[in-house]
């Protein structure tokens, strides 16, 4: 029984103060801050403010000579400057929520307050006002010698520059150069500015310091180099002789203003002490580098991935206290993130919720597809789909004596894919045929042939039963089983499918038209044929003749390589690996330093299409007879004695209609596991899908299509994992305006139905595109297959853990799970996954492949058994923790906490009542955390 005593963890006064500042819920996030630092310069007898540095995320300095900006780099501050900044805020003027509309009015207000507080002599009013209102010279001048990448950009901006030599007062309105500044592309649209002014003057004997936060962001004329309204203003003027110290203090406050945590404090601060608490908390997190072991002149490159500030903020937020770290390091609980219906609430409850979730997004699923990125996605996935359809159709024709062939494969792919993408819950999933289905069809045909049963009619009834079973799974909300599909199951399944794609691509290249033994003999013609006898010289050694001479003199060629074309194998492998390597290189081109960002992104998006067109052109240029894509040209069934409609009665005994329920159950398990695991991989939260999932709705339409395809005699279709991952990858979105030095941020996936629908419509009309498609060499498409298989392995933690076996500890990457789990335990977990993958591979390669779906279910059992081998702490980092029995209790407790949060937003109670209520929430959350500990 839990005690009511609440044990508090000691925290610093600064953290305690920030907890209540940042704990207040805001509907709108604070704007991004652009910070500019100007220093006071003297040109002869005149004074001016000259821009010396700027920050969006990282610092950029004006290089000596004033010709260009430095590369963005991480700001390195001296510890002494931070302490001096803290002293400045303690002793200077702090004005929060000042009603300011122009810089002269703001300056007058600051000076007036300092005079009233006895901090400034009245006779210095005019001098300080004069200095603060001097002209600002911004660093927007372009160097004379520019790179080719800069050519073509805003020719007007290069000829003129923003600084004027006149020393008039600062302009009240924005200049043309400010409005045309191309740096605005790097700044978010809703950004605000914080201006830092530092300098030394000869009429002061002590520093003049002021920190101002305006009530409303206001454009202050020529103060800022870009047309961004100013929200914060920091002014530091001091006696001469300490210019370097003032500069360091200015860099310190500028760096603080672009820090996510401190900027939140600056926006929400109620008084001077809140700002000082923010500096103290910043100091608590600062890491000092010893001067003897590091050169301060070195500029630290921005990291490729900037850590999010959410974790730092949550430490100081009461709303986050006591939250368990159950999914640390894992992909997260699917049940919570994807709103899976885990309780049998009512008949078809999950299906109704899926439809309710997806209907509001239905219009946007179409108009959001109108983007140039969608064109590259359609071309990429289309080529993958028709290659898969032709390959699978050919194998299916061989296995079923052409009852189903390439034509049926094309028609079934087009019909099933179009319907699914139009009405499903997750239209990013691509339907295709799979290997286990092919093996099932082969065994079913042999069984029918050996027992005198009509294959197509038996197959129809299996499809009907499987459709009904899918409906039962949907009606009973059976999709809740995916709660137990953790990273262990996902990675095992996706790795297997990826390896199948890679091995199939290589096998098809090795066995298509290449031989290792050269055997082609020339045989002499039959002497009895007098006509041929006179057509060639006598006493020839026929075995030594070339192929051309043999044909010329009437001989006959015998051997398996008589049709061998020299250099064909080499050319095919050039097309195969060339397509793959060029696609990989162009895909990474967006991270290159060459050419403008938009051009790099365009090349990356169309990398696959460009690689295919390049090597199709190379193939046409060389002119060798490489194997080409063969597309059916007539719309008719592959087998002449069958029609497009399969009748359900008349050819088999009545008991077959009932007995087909048993093989249908195996098909249903296969479809259910394949569909749901692929859907889990597509819907994983790393993809940042915002429109939700639809597991029940997806399974419903797969069941409907099972019945439709069975009546039409078409192959059965289910989610194709690798092609679906490739579809997701081709539609990923990144931020267009990123701060200098910051890598583009992954924003999510372009969720829509248009690309999938277009892919399958094009697949259907490919019969009419045969004259164009016949120029595409098969090795090029096999290269695309290889790329899809390799690309789908990227980002899989299982693959990264396999590579750890071959790395010494000192060279291993700094993965989070290696910090918290012993290496031997990581290797043991990986070994279990490797063994499971090997068993699945062996099963897939034998007649036992019919049991493949049962083995996928077996992965869930193996994962459950791992709970007895590994601690919950270890599994939290290298996998996901399985749902506990107290899920419902936790959910109810969470609902109560949500209600309390909503009450808190109303803000009707005073501060003292808020603190009491927050303490109670903290105690309840600690109590909930104790209950959630694994027993």
């Amino acid at each position: 029984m839990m005690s009511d005593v609440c044990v508090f963890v000691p925290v610093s006064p600064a953290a305690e103060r920030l907890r209540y500042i940042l704990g207040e819920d805001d509907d709108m996030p604070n704007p991004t801050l652009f910070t500019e630092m100007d220093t006071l310069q003297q040109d002869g007898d005149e004074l001016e403010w000259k821009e010396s540095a700027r920050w969006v995320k990282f610092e950029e300095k004006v290089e000596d000579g004033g010709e260009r900006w430095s590369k963005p780099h991480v700001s390195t501050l001296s510890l002494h400057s931070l302490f001096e900044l803290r002293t400045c805020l303690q002793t200077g003027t702090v004005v929060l929520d000042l009603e300011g509309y122009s810089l002269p009015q703001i300056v007058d207000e600051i000076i007036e307050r300092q005079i009233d507080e006895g901090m400034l002599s009245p006779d210095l009013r005019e001098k300080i006002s004069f200095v603060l209102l001097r002209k600002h010279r911004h660093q927007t001048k372009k160097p004379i010698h520019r790179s080719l990448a800069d050519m073509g950009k805003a020719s007007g901006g290069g000829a003129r520059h923003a600084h004027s030599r006149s020393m008039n007062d600062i302009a009240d309105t924005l200049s043309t150069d400010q409005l045309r500044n191309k740096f605005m592309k790097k700044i978010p649209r809703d950004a605000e500015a914080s201006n830092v002014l530092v300098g030394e003057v000869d009429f002061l004997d002590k520093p003049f310091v002021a920190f101002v936060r305006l009530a409303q962001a206001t454009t202050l004329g020529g103060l800022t180099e870009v047309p961004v309204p100013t929200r914060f203003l920091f002014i530091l003027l001091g006696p001469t002789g300490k210019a370097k110290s003032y500069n360091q203090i200015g860099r310190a406050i500028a760096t603080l203003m672009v820090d996510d945590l401190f900027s939140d404090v600056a926006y929400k601060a109620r008084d001077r002490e809140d700002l000082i608490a923010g500096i103290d908390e910043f100091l608590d997190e600062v890491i000092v580098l010893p001067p003897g072991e590091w050169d301060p002149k070195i500029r630290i490159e921005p990291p490729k991935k900037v850590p999010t500030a959410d974790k730092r903020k949550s430490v100081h937020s009461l709303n986050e206290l006591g939250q368990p770290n159950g999914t640390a390091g894992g992909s997260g609980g699917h049940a919570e993130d994807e709103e899976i219906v885990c309780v049998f609430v009512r008949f078809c409850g999950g299906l109704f919720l899926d439809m309710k979730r997806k209907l509001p997004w239905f219009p946007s699923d179409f108009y959001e597809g109108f983007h140039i990125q969608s064109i590259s996605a359609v071309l990429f996935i289309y080529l993958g789909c028709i290659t898969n359809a032709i390959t699978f159709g050919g194998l299916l024709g061989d296995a079923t004596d052409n009852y189903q062939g390439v034509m049926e494969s094309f028609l079934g792919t087009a019909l099933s894919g179009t319907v699914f993408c139009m009405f499903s819950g997750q239209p990013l999933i691509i339907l295709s045929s799979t290997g286990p289905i092919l093996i099932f069809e082969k065994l079913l045909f042999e069984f029918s042939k050996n027992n005198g049963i009509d294959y197509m009619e038996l197959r129809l009834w299996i499809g009907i039963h499987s459709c009904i079973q899918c409906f039962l799974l949907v009606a009973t909300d059976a999709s809740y089983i995916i709660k137990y599909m953790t990273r262990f199951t996902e990675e095992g399944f996706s790795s297997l499918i990826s390896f199948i794609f890679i091995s199939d691509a290589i096998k098809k290249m090795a066995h298509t038209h290449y031989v290792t033994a050269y055997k082609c003999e020339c045989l002499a013609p039959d002497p009895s044929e007098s006509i041929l006898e006179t057509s060639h010289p006598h006493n020839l050694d026929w075995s030594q003749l070339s192929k051309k001479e043999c044909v010329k003199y009437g001989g006959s060629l015998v051997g398996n390589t008589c049709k061998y074309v020299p250099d064909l194998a080499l050319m095919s492998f050039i097309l195969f690996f060339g397509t793959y390597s060029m696609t990989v290189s162009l895909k990474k081109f967006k991270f290159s330093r060459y050419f403008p960002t938009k051009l790099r992104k365009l090349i990356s998006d169309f990398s696959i299409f460009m690689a295919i067109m390049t090597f199709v052109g190379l193939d046409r240029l060389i002119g060798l007879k490489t194997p080409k894509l063969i597309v059916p040209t007539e719309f008719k069934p592959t087998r002449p004695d069958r029609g497009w409609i399969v009748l359900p009665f008349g050819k088999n005994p009545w008991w077959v209609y009932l007995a087909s329920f048993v093989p249908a159950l195996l098909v249903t398990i296969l479809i259910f596991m394949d569909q749901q695991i692929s859907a889990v991989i597509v819907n994983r939260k790393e993809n940042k899908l915002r429109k939700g999932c639809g597991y029940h709705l997806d399974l419903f339409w797969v069941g409907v299509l099972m019945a439709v395809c069975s009546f039409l005699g078409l192959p059965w279709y289910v989610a194709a994992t690798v092609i679906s991952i490739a579809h997701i990858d081709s539609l990923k979105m990144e931020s267009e305006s990123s701060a200098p030095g910051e890598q583009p941020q992954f924003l999510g996936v372009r969720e829509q139905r248009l690309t999938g629908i277009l892919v399958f419509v094009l697949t259907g009309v490919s019969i009419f595109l045969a004259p164009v498609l016949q120029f595409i060499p098969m090795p090029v498409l096999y290269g695309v297959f290889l790329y899809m298989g390799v690309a789908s392995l990227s980002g899989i933690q299982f693959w990264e853990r396999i590579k750890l076996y071959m790395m010494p500890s000192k060279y291993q990457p700094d993965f989070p799970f290696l910090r918290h789990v012993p290496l031997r335990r990581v290797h043991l977990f990986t070994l279990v996954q490797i063994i499971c993958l090997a068993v699945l591979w062996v099963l897939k390669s034998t007649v036992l492949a019919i049991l493949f779906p049962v083995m996928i279910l077996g992965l869930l059992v193996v994962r459950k058994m791992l709970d007895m081998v590994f601690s919950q702490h270890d599994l939290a980092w290298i996998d996901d923790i399985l749902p506990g029995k107290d899920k419902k209790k936790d959910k109810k407790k969470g609902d109560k906490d949500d209600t309390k949060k909503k009450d808190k937003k109303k803000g009707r109670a005073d501060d003292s009542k808020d603190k009491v209520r927050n303490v109670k929430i903290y105690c309840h959350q600690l109590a909930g955390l104790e209950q959630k500990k694994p027993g």
Side-chain angles (χ1 to χ4, degrees), residues 8 59 77 193 271 355 420 497 760 886:
F8 289 93
E59 181 178 3
L77 306 173
D271 51 34
M355 295 172 64
F420 186 84
I497 304 301
F760 292 112
D886 56 347

Side-chain angles (χ1 to χ4, degrees), residues 95 209 380 414 420 580 597 634 774 777 789 842 867 873 881:
V95 184
V209 181
F380 173 34
F420 186 84
Y580 167 75
T597 305
E634 297 182 54
Q774 67 181 359
V842 171
D867 280 346
H873 172 269
I881 297 178

Side-chain angles (χ1 to χ4, degrees), residues 320-460:
E320 301 293 333
L321 286 174
Q323 294 296 322
N325 191 22
T327 57
S331 59
H334 299 296
E336 294 80 6
D337 294 328
E338 296 151 2
E339 302 179 27
I340 299 303
V341 180
C342 305
V343 184
F344 301 99
V345 181
R346 63 181 186 274
F347 182 75
C348 292
L351 179 63
F352 291 141
L353 285 177
D354 283 351
M355 295 172 64
K356 182 180 178 181
R357 183 188 304 117
K358 300 303 291 187
L359 275 176
W361 297 105
F362 198 74
S364 67
D365 283 343
F366 289 92
Y367 64 74
E368 288 184 4
F370 289 95
H371 192 274
I372 192 171
Q373 188 181 21
S374 301
I375 300 175
S376 64
V378 168
L379 294 172
F380 173 34
I381 302 302
Y382 164 66
L383 291 171
C385 282
I386 62 171
T387 307
N388 202 36
I390 289 172
T391 305
F392 185 83
L395 295 173
L396 198 58
D398 294 338
T400 63
D401 198 13
N402 284 330
Y403 275 103
Q404 299 175 79
V406 176
M407 174 57 72
E408 287 78 11
S409 182
F410 264 78
L411 183 60
T413 302
L415 174 65
S416 301
T418 303
V419 172
F420 186 84
C421 288
M422 180 71 75
F423 302 109
S424 68
Q426 184 47 270
L428 296 176
I429 292 175
I430 300 295
L431 293 192
S432 179
S433 296
T434 59
I437 288 180
L438 173 63
I439 295 172
F440 181 86
E441 296 272 19
K442 183 177 181 180
L443 296 176
L444 184 64
F445 178 77
E446 292 175 354
F447 173 81
S448 303
K449 186 177 180 180
N450 296 334
N451 294 276
I453 298 174
D454 185 77
Y455 163 68
M456 296 302 289
E457 189 177 288
L458 173 62
R459 185 178 179 278
L460 168 61

